[in-house]
Amino acid sequence: MDILALITAFGFGSLITAVMQWYMSTRFSVEKRRYDERKEAYIGLLESWILQEKQGFSRGSELDVGHWLLRSQLVASEKVYALLKAWEELDPGSPERIKTTTELKAAMRDDLRSIS
């Protein structure tokens, strides 16, 4: 076996390995960032809902919920986004909103599971 052919083959294999490692690392970091962004937005929204329930519907609580709602809409999957839009249009405390909230929580949980 020719030594030059062996070195060339080994070098080509190393190059392929390096490219694959770079691709997998980049893909992992993008998925991790997407998961972290969604998790932060969803938890912030849920916490602002809880705070609003405890403190009542004031101007400050509406702004806080609106802030987290917008952040969630920016990073949400299509299913969660549609539920967020439906939730936003319903009246607080209405049976439809309570049902949509339950569906939204389940969709958020599924959304976070699908990324990780």
Side-chain angles (χ1 to χ4, degrees):
M1 182 173 260
D2 188 15
I3 265 294
L4 185 59
L6 189 59
I7 291 172
T8 304
F10 180 72
F12 184 70
S14 295
L15 180 63
I16 294 294
T17 301
V19 168
M20 289 301 294
Q21 286 176 342
W22 170 82
Y23 172 76
M24 296 300 285
S25 173
T26 302
R27 184 173 169 210
F28 174 76
S29 66
V30 167
E31 288 179 6
K32 172 93 170 96
R33 188 181 75 231
R34 183 179 300 137
Y35 174 82
D36 289 342
E37 287 173 347
R38 285 184 183 177
K39 181 178 133 186
E40 181 181 353
Y42 294 167
I43 289 174
L45 180 60
L46 294 173
E47 287 176 345
S48 68
W49 286 346
I50 291 169
L51 193 62
Q52 189 176 50
E53 288 292 321
K54 287 182 180 178
Q55 295 179 351
F57 292 88
S58 67
R59 176 85 173 131
S61 69
E62 287 178 8
L63 291 174
D64 193 39
V65 169
H67 166 80
W68 288 108
L69 184 63
L70 179 60
R71 282 190 65 175
S72 295
Q73 288 173 341
L74 289 174
V75 298
S77 66
E78 291 298 321
K79 182 178 180 180
V80 173
Y81 180 78
L83 286 167
L84 286 168
K85 290 300 284 180
W87 182 90
E88 185 179 22
E89 294 170 0
L90 297 170
D91 293 327
S94 67
E96 295 86 13
R97 193 177 221 187
I98 293 169
K99 181 179 178 281
T100 304
T101 301
T102 303
E103 292 173 7
L104 185 56
K105 288 177 188 177
M108 286 176 174
R109 206 170 31 254
D110 292 341
D111 197 15
L112 290 175
R113 256 190 235 128
S114 70
I115 296 174
S116 58

